[in-house]
């Protein structure tokens, strides 16, 4: 009778970042009642604008112009109109944050979304400080600066602290729908999915090709309900629709 073969499974200890992610995300999901909402937006105008600008922008600025800064700009504009999305649930009450500091995700070879660990119980991600005060060009440069700092191990504690809302560029990996887990004590996280071409019926009844994107919002249901989340997303979609060939990015 043959002996059962020994398991060939490879066991590798989780690194510090993965352990911290596991601890923080488990705590978040256990303590925060998550609710989720998704809307779609027609961003054909942004695709056309970016395609028009990208070559000259690269030559002039020395960095790649992605779609993400346009989404960040639209989100910051909406947060100014919906301060509860830029708040946090804490033991002494609801804190409304004066500054709009957007946490963003940075990808490396080992982790899709890399938090930088500064303390044992906390995760810190790159933060665009006072993002609502920056132009699209300013946002693009700050995203590039933070990404390079994290990847090169040069990010400072100031780069990583103070986030009040998170925007994830999940679309860069081809995702079309996802549910983000909130990074406490923030109230919400928005996933910007991949832009896909779709055939739509226009207002005049004809067919047209459009560049569409899904925006997926996870909210802390202790602070927010579907009404406030829906209104926020409507304003983000409205802001995205306002970009045109005449938009000033500087």
């Amino acid at each position: 009778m043959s002996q059962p073969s020994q398991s060939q499974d490879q066991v590798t200890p989780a690194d510090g970042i993965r352990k911290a992610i596991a601890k923080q995300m488990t705590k978040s999901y256990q303590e925060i009642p998550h609710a989720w909402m998704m809307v779609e937006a027609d961003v054909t105008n942004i695709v056309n604008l970016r395609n028009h600008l990208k070559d000259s922008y690269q030559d002039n600025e020395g960095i790649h112009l992605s779609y993400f800064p346009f989404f960040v700009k639209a989100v910051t504009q909406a947060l100014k109109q919906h301060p509860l999305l830029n708040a946090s649930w804490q033991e002494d009450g609801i804190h409304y944050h004066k500054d709009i500091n957007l946490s963003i995700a940075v990808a490396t070879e080992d982790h899709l979304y890399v938090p930088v660990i500064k303390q044992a119980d906390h995760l810190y991600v790159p933060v665009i400080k006072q993002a609502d005060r920056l132009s699209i060009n300013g946002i693009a440069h700050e995203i590039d600066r933070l990404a390079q700092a994290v990847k090169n191990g040069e990010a400072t504690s100031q780069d990583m602290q103070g986030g009040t809302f998170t925007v994830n560029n999940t679309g860069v990996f081809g995702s079309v729908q996802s549910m983000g887990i909130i990074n406490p004590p923030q109230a919400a996280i928005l996933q910007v999915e991949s832009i896909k071409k779709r055939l739509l019926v226009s207002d005049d009844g004809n067919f047209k090709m459009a560049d569409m994107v899904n925006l997926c919002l996870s909210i802390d249901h202790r602070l927010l309900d579907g009404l406030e989340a829906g209104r926020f997303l409507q304003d983000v979609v409205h802001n995205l629709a306002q970009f045109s060939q005449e938009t000033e990015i500087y």
Side-chain angles (χ1 to χ4, degrees):
M1 182 175 180
S2 61
Q3 296 294 321
S5 61
Q6 297 296 316
S7 172
Q8 299 299 310
D9 292 349
Q10 177 181 349
V11 179
T12 302
D15 61 24
I17 289 179
R18 181 49 56 190
K19 287 181 179 179
I21 292 173
K23 183 175 182 178
Q24 184 80 340
M25 294 299 97
T26 299
K27 179 181 178 181
S28 172
Y29 218 68
Q30 289 175 340
E31 297 183 359
I32 297 176
H34 283 61
W36 185 74
M37 181 177 291
M38 183 183 77
V39 298
E40 60 180 6
D42 184 341
V43 292
T44 306
N45 55 337
I46 295 177
V47 171
N48 292 337
L49 175 59
R50 183 254 181 183
N51 287 340
H52 175 70
L53 294 174
K54 64 179 182 178
D55 291 338
S56 60
Y57 187 86
Q58 177 95 39
D59 293 339
N60 294 332
E61 301 297 329
I63 63 172
H64 174 68
L65 179 63
S66 70
Y67 297 116
F68 197 43
F70 297 94
F71 288 98
V72 169
K73 187 66 175 179
V75 168
T76 60
Q77 292 169 332
L79 286 173
K80 295 175 74 172
Q81 303 301 317
H82 300 273
L84 196 55
L85 273 290
N86 197 53
S88 59
W89 180 277
Q90 301 188 31
E91 291 185 1
D92 61 343
I94 299 173
H95 288 219
Y96 289 84
H97 304 296
K98 178 181 177 181
D99 292 334
I100 296 176
N101 299 331
L102 292 191
S103 302
I104 60 173
V106 174
T108 70
E109 294 179 358
D110 297 322
H111 298 278
L112 293 183
Y113 302 105
V114 174
V116 174
I117 305 169
K118 292 299 182 182
Q119 299 176 11
D121 295 330
H122 295 279
L123 297 177
Y124 295 97
V125 298
V127 177
I128 305 174
K129 301 294 179 59
Q130 298 181 331
D132 55 312
R133 301 187 181 185
L134 298 176
S135 65
I136 294 170
N137 175 61
I139 292 169
H141 274 278
E142 189 63 3
I143 291 172
D144 181 75
R145 184 189 72 81
L146 290 169
Q148 295 304 318
V150 169
K151 291 177 182 179
N152 296 331
E154 300 170 350
T156 67
S157 59
Q158 289 299 312
D159 289 330
M160 300 294 155
Q161 297 184 24
T164 59
F165 185 94
T166 297
V167 185
N168 274 352
N169 189 15
T170 43
V172 73
F173 302 109
S175 172
V176 295
Q177 183 174 312
S178 60
M179 186 184 78
I181 299 178
I182 298 164
N183 188 20
Q186 296 176 17
I189 178 172
L190 181 70
Q191 314 277 93
V192 178
E193 306 294 349
S194 180
I195 297 173
K196 300 292 185 182
K197 287 192 178 295
R198 286 176 49 195
L199 186 63
L200 301 180
V201 179
S202 60
D203 293 338
D204 59 8
N206 294 317
F207 291 98
K208 67 174 183 178
M209 291 298 298
D211 294 288
M212 304 296 295
V213 65
N214 291 330
L215 305 175
C216 303
L217 180 70
S218 298
I219 60 171
D220 184 339
H221 222 329
R222 296 173 299 182
L223 285 84
L224 298 158
D225 55 29
L227 178 62
E228 184 67 22
R231 288 175 174 171
F232 168 75
L233 286 173
Q234 284 180 335
D235 279 352
V236 174
V237 172
H238 172 78
N239 294 339
L240 291 170
Q242 300 311 300
F243 292 109
S244 70
Q245 293 287 342
E246 287 71 43
T247 295
E248 178 55 63
I249 69 168
Y250 291 94

